[in-house]
Amino acid sequence: MDVFLPAILLVAATTWTSRVDGQVTFMAELTSRPAQKLSKYGWYGNVRLQRFHIPEETAIARWTFTVTRGNSFYCGQHNITVYIRWGAPPVINPTDCVFPNVTLWNPSLSLILPVISQNSTMFNLSDPAPGEWFVAAHLPEDDGRIEQKGFPSCTYFFQPQLSVRRAVDTPVLPQDAFLTQTASFEQPARLKLFVPEFASSLSVTVRDCSSGEAAESGNCWLLLRLGSASLLQRPVTVNCSGMSCSASLVNPPWDTWLRVVVESSQVNRSVTFRITWSYTEGCKPKSVGLEGGDEFKKPQKSSSQSNSTSANTTEVSNGFSFANKSSALPTSLTVSACMWSVPVLYEEVDVLSLRFTAANGSNVSVTDTHPTLLTYPLPSQATGGTLNLRLTLNTTDVVLDNSSSVLACFSPWAPVLQLNHSQPCRTALFGGYGVAVNTSSPKAVLRLPFPQSASWYLTLQLHCNSSSCGNASVVSVVPELSVSACVEDCGSYGECRLLRAYSYLYAGCVCKAGWKGWGCTDYSSALSYGRQLLSTLLLTLSNLSFLPAIVVATRRFYITEASVYCFTMFFSTFYHACDQPGVAVLCIMDYDALQYCDFLGSVCSIWVTILCMAQIRAIAKYTLFMLGALLIAMSMQLDRKGLWNMLGPILCAILLMASTWVYRGVRRRHCYPPSWKRWAFYLVPGLCCALVGVCLYIFAETEDNYYYTHSLWHILVASCVVFLLPPEEKQREALGWSRGFSWHWSWRPQICGYTLCESSKEELYTVT
């Protein structure tokens, strides 16, 4: 199988062509994803996310997780964590961080996979819920060590595969009519039924069981399961031990197919039975939408036209207007009605940004006799963000007493239409989220990261502890529902970033200054302001160590080299001032431009220093200066943090320098440079500074000690330049400078060759 294909779908056309398992035909399908390189967990961007689709009527889903180590040398023992979730990406917390306030989440199923040379793990799930399933994987928590790009490191690859066994002709269970079926332990009976909208309860009944044996003819020995498995929610299971039994669901999921599986609990025994189902509509609202007298109004074109519009209109997202209703309940909601359904509109504001509004205005009427229902259909492209619900009690018109409150239940797939303090906010198969607002707490906020794609229902009802609410029988509540990319835009110490897994978009917070967590609100390891300021001062002021190198280069008339050192010192200082993670930040220009100039100046400084040590002719040296700077600038644009961007120029310059030194040593029959003092007091200390600096830069830097080690790297590199710069050049006539610091520019042209000028230097220069 080609692992580089995004998906491989194989349909086994000849598999299970005969009718088995309760007269149902099964087909096999396989979906594969390419292997991805895993990363250590620091934030959600380090997680490798894959999306799978499980079709309707899938009997068995099997994931195969293959982990491969990418190199042969020993990397230690590591475990890979894999998460599985239905309907949305898994919300994970491997570092046990504190979540933001009023942020609710459910842990996903996690698997720990050990890494050997190559390891495969299988995970089976019977009767999985249809739809989108997400698989996420990552290595253990990041230890903070900064790895330089290009050096060999331990790499691990993760590849998931999904194989499903799907029924293609599942019988539909008729309503209020019995269907005869046969089930066994190996071959259960599989059926399905469609639950309509506004169904308050349903019941599935099994009767007239017969196993064909007289001794056991009075017992069913059947297991009846309703619903699908979604890891956190299991199907409702009833053990039938008599001639008949039934399973009931209160508040079943609306407008969806429900799976019904019946199997024998006895091995090697088939049971024949009859099965039926029925449902009730405990509450169905009046017709909603535009009335006969309502009209769509054209969008306003100017402010003057807008002012002339009647005050009883509310603009919606598409530019049209609905007639605004009064805050009181409409007259169509009579005593015989059971609830008031409010139509909802939504608009796409931006990527992973939706806003839902009530069509009849921001204020929604809530009464103590009937629940108020709002339906929010959440599309699948919004599951990668955060669902935000805010309820505000309008206390300007009616004031509630301390014993009264507005109860709210926010649930997916089906609403809870009976709200009180004793009634849990939970449907038959799925959980909900309950909140309340009252006079003392008029606002309530609820956040759900990575919400599941479904129709979400908000039920509101006024609850009074006394027998009646009196004058406060109708109150106004402002429900605000929106989808944002991140929780509160990751706060002051985080940055919200959009992530992509192929065509699927989701968002995550990358934190700074030691803050962590889902919304960068966990300050348990946060850096204090003093430490942030110390980090900024160390990384910026350490660049002043280039001043001695600039002075030495100027005194020795290496003006080009001194200008490169000035460039490096300036941009390294302001790059690190802009690169700080906290609030002690100063950016004089775009961050990317500062980073580019810092990296370019650092490599060019090393390049010109080593070429200067080679002491080649001026015309060759400055040609190599310019050519090398252009090539370095090009390579920096291609891959700024690549290993060969720094290693390539260094090796080329060292090779050129070594060639010239060897040539001079062979020609003079003496070691070059000839002075032992030059080696003992300049070259050896300079090489030691360079070696220690490189070791710190490559092996010792971590996120915790970065501002110490990198500041020391600045000092060592600048000190290395001071030691390694050669003495003053003797061929100064090519530069046009006079000796000393008189800085007298000689405009008289000098025509001499390289040998002539070197032999008659006393005649060409005046000592000052």
Side-chain angles (χ1 to χ4, degrees):
M1 183 182 300
D2 190 357
V3 300
F4 297 100
L5 294 177
I8 302 176
L9 185 63
L10 300 178
V11 178
T14 60
T15 306
W16 292 288
T17 56
S18 61
R19 289 182 174 270
V20 294
D21 288 295
Q23 297 181 349
V24 173
T25 302
F26 285 86
M27 303 293 288
E29 298 179 0
L30 176 65
T31 304
S32 178
R33 294 288 185 262
Q36 287 187 321
K37 182 180 178 181
L38 295 176
S39 301
K40 293 182 179 180
Y41 182 81
W43 65 294
Y44 207 86
N46 302 128
V47 176
R48 296 296 174 260
L49 186 66
Q50 299 280 10
R51 182 173 58 164
F52 294 90
H53 178 75
I54 292 183
E56 295 277 352
E57 306 169 6
T58 297
I60 297 177
R62 173 179 295 172
W63 276 277
T64 302
F65 304 121
T66 303
V67 179
T68 306
R69 192 162 53 199
N71 40 42
S72 58
F73 59 90
Y74 180 73
C75 295
Q77 182 65 32
H78 294 289
N79 292 329
I80 292 176
T81 307
V82 179
Y83 303 88
I84 307 175
R85 190 188 179 199
W86 171 57
V91 181
I92 64 176
N93 188 21
T95 56
D96 296 327
C97 297
V98 178
F99 271 71
N101 294 330
V102 299
T103 300
L104 304 180
W105 65 288
N106 293 319
S108 304
L109 174 69
S110 60
L111 305 174
I112 304 299
L113 307 183
V115 177
I116 314 176
S117 59
Q118 184 172 357
N119 183 30
S120 295
T121 303
M122 292 184 180
F123 175 75
N124 297 331
L125 183 63
S126 299
D127 300 325
E132 303 295 330
W133 285 75
F134 292 82
V135 175
H138 64 81
L139 288 171
E141 184 181 0
D142 190 2
D143 55 4
R145 191 170 68 90
I146 300 176
E147 296 182 355
Q148 303 301 327
K149 184 177 180 180
F151 283 92
S153 60
C154 296
T155 56
Y156 302 90
F157 294 92
F158 173 75
Q159 182 181 17
Q161 292 180 344
L162 172 65
S163 58
V164 299
R165 188 166 179 253
R166 177 175 62 90
V168 296
D169 53 357
T170 303
V172 178
L173 184 61
Q175 181 183 355
D176 298 327
F178 283 94
L179 179 67
T180 302
Q181 292 285 297
T182 301
S184 64
F185 183 80
E186 295 82 7
Q187 300 176 357
R190 301 181 181 275
L191 306 103
K192 63 179 180 180
L193 58 90
F194 186 79
V195 183
E197 200 169 1
F198 306 114
S200 58
S201 64
L202 65 85
S203 176
V204 178
T205 303
V206 175
R207 58 181 298 181
D208 299 336
C209 300
S210 175
S211 62
E213 299 181 9
E216 301 294 340
S217 60
N219 292 324
C220 281
W221 303 113
L222 293 177
L223 290 178
L224 175 60
R225 295 197 300 269
L226 302 182
S228 303
S230 57
L231 299 182
L232 295 180
Q233 291 85 21
R234 308 298 299 180
V236 175
T237 304
V238 176
N239 192 348
C240 300
S241 58
M243 288 292 295
S244 63
C245 68
S246 62
S248 300
L249 297 181
V250 180
N251 298 321
W254 285 2
D255 196 22
T256 185
W257 289 98
L258 185 67
R259 189 196 310 263
V260 179
V261 179
V262 184
E263 67 178 10
S264 175
S265 59
Q266 301 295 319
V267 181
N268 299 327
R269 179 173 296 176
S270 298
V271 179
T272 302
F273 58 92
R274 295 199 302 162
I275 185 171
T276 187
W277 79 287
S278 62
Y279 78 96
T280 58
E281 290 182 351
C283 183
K284 192 172 184 178
K286 298 291 184 179
S287 299
V288 296
L290 292 177
E291 300 175 358
D294 294 335
E295 296 179 356
F296 282 109
K297 297 184 178 181
K298 296 181 179 180
Q300 307 301 327
K301 298 182 179 180
S302 62
S303 59
S304 61
Q305 293 176 349
S306 178
N307 295 331
S308 63
T309 306
S310 175
N312 63 346
T313 60
T314 302
E315 293 188 4
V316 295
S317 62
N318 55 7
F320 295 101
S321 302
F322 276 114
N324 190 17
K325 306 294 182 181
S326 173
S327 61
L329 286 175
T331 57
S332 61
L333 186 58
T334 60
V335 178
S336 61
C338 60
M339 71 174 174
W340 171 244
S341 182
V342 180
V344 174
L345 301 174
Y346 83 95
E347 60 176 329
E348 296 184 3
V349 181
D350 203 346
V351 179
L352 289 180
S353 180
L354 300 177
R355 183 169 58 232
F356 295 84
T357 56
N360 295 337
S362 58
N363 290 326
V364 174
S365 299
V366 181
T367 181
D368 61 331
T369 57
H370 309 90
T372 301
L373 180 65
L374 294 91
T375 304
Y376 302 98
L378 190 66
S380 59
Q381 63 267 22
T383 57
T386 301
L387 189 62
N388 307 289
L389 173 64
R390 181 186 299 271
L391 292 179
T392 305
L393 178 64
N394 191 349
T395 58
T396 57
D397 299 333
V398 179
V399 179
L400 296 175
D401 55 16
N402 295 329
S403 62
S404 302
S405 60
V406 176
L407 302 181
C409 181
F410 192 53
S411 59
W413 285 282
V416 177
L417 297 180
Q418 296 179 359
L419 295 181
N420 52 60
H421 289 290
S422 60
Q423 181 75 19
C425 179
R426 180 177 177 82
T427 59
L429 300 176
F430 306 99
Y433 306 92
V435 294
V437 290
N438 49 38
T439 304
S440 59
S441 300
K443 293 184 178 181
V445 180
L446 181 66
R447 300 189 185 97
L448 301 176
F450 293 164
Q452 293 174 302
S453 176
S455 291
W456 289 76
Y457 298 90
L458 177 63
T459 307
L460 303 170
Q461 190 168 1
L462 178 62
H463 179 78
C464 303
N465 290 335
S466 58
S467 59
S468 63
C469 295
N471 296 330
S473 60
V474 179
V475 296
S476 296
V477 176
V478 181
E480 300 175 77
L481 189 74
S482 63
V483 175
S484 60
C486 298
V487 177
E488 294 295 327
D489 203 22
C490 301
S492 303
Y493 289 92
E495 179 183 356
C496 184
R497 294 185 182 179
L498 289 178
L499 307 171
R500 187 180 68 177
Y502 299 100
S503 60
Y504 180 76
L505 290 178
Y506 57 105
C509 288
V510 53
C511 307
K512 55 186 179 180
W515 292 70
K516 57 184 180 179
W518 193 264
C520 299
T521 55
D522 190 340
Y523 55 87
S524 58
S525 58
L527 300 179
S528 63
Y529 178 76
R531 192 172 179 183
Q532 296 177 30
L533 185 60
L534 176 63
S535 172
T536 304
L537 292 177
L538 283 177
L539 289 171
T540 54
L541 297 182
S542 61
N543 287 282
L544 297 179
S545 57
F546 274 95
L547 288 176
I550 296 173
V551 172
V552 170
T554 305
R555 286 180 58 91
R556 297 177 183 177
F557 299 100
Y558 297 123
I559 307 302
T560 304
E561 291 83 344
S563 63
V564 175
Y565 302 151
C566 288
F567 179 90
T568 303
M569 181 184 68
F570 178 84
F571 282 103
S572 180
T573 299
F574 287 100
Y575 163 67
H576 286 292
C578 185
D579 188 47
Q580 296 307 302
V583 294
V585 179
L586 174 63
C587 296
I588 62 172
M589 62 177 65
D590 184 67
Y591 173 83
D592 188 71
L594 288 172
Q595 186 187 66
Y596 180 83
C597 293
D598 173 54
F599 288 15
L600 177 64
S602 300
V603 180
C604 286
S605 297
I606 300 175
W607 171 254
V608 300
T609 301
I610 300 177
L611 287 182
C612 185
M613 294 173 61
Q615 290 187 312
I616 58 179
R617 293 189 179 184
I619 186 171
K621 182 176 73 171
Y622 294 118
T623 301
L624 291 175
F625 278 2
M626 180 59 66
L627 181 61
L630 294 176
L631 293 177
I632 293 171
M634 179 196 67
S635 63
M636 287 292 173
Q637 182 64 28
L638 295 176
D639 188 6
R640 192 169 302 174
K641 296 182 179 180
L643 172 65
W644 287 99
N645 287 336
M646 178 178 291
L647 191 59
I650 292 177
L651 293 179
C652 292
I654 291 177
L655 181 62
L656 180 62
M657 181 190 70
S659 300
T660 57
W661 284 14
V662 170
Y663 173 77
R664 290 175 182 173
V666 171
R667 185 177 180 181
R668 299 179 181 183
R669 300 179 182 273
H670 196 280
C671 180
Y672 186 87
S675 175
W676 67 269
K677 295 182 179 179
R678 181 68 186 166
W679 283 96
F681 298 109
Y682 294 98
L683 295 181
V684 173
L687 291 176
C688 292
C689 290
L691 183 61
V692 173
V694 169
C695 292
L696 283 176
Y697 183 79
I698 296 176
F699 303 109
E701 283 189 355
T702 64
E703 294 181 358
D704 295 332
N705 65 8
Y706 176 76
Y707 54 94
Y708 293 123
T709 56
H710 202 75
S711 300
L712 187 58
W713 153 261
H714 290 163
I715 297 174
L716 289 174
V717 170
S719 303
C720 171
V721 172
V722 174
F723 282 108
L724 295 181
L725 273 179
E728 179 182 352
E729 288 185 348
K730 298 180 179 180
Q731 295 83 12
R732 291 181 303 275
E733 67 279 1
L735 302 176
W737 294 95
S738 61
R739 179 182 292 273
F741 284 92
S742 62
W743 293 69
H744 172 70
W745 182 268
S746 176
W747 291 96
R748 186 177 65 180
Q750 298 176 359
I751 303 176
C752 59
Y754 179 82
T755 306
L756 176 61
C757 293
E758 182 178 3
S759 60
S760 57
K761 56 183 180 181
E762 292 82 8
E763 300 176 4
L764 295 175
Y765 293 95
T766 303
V767 179
T768 57

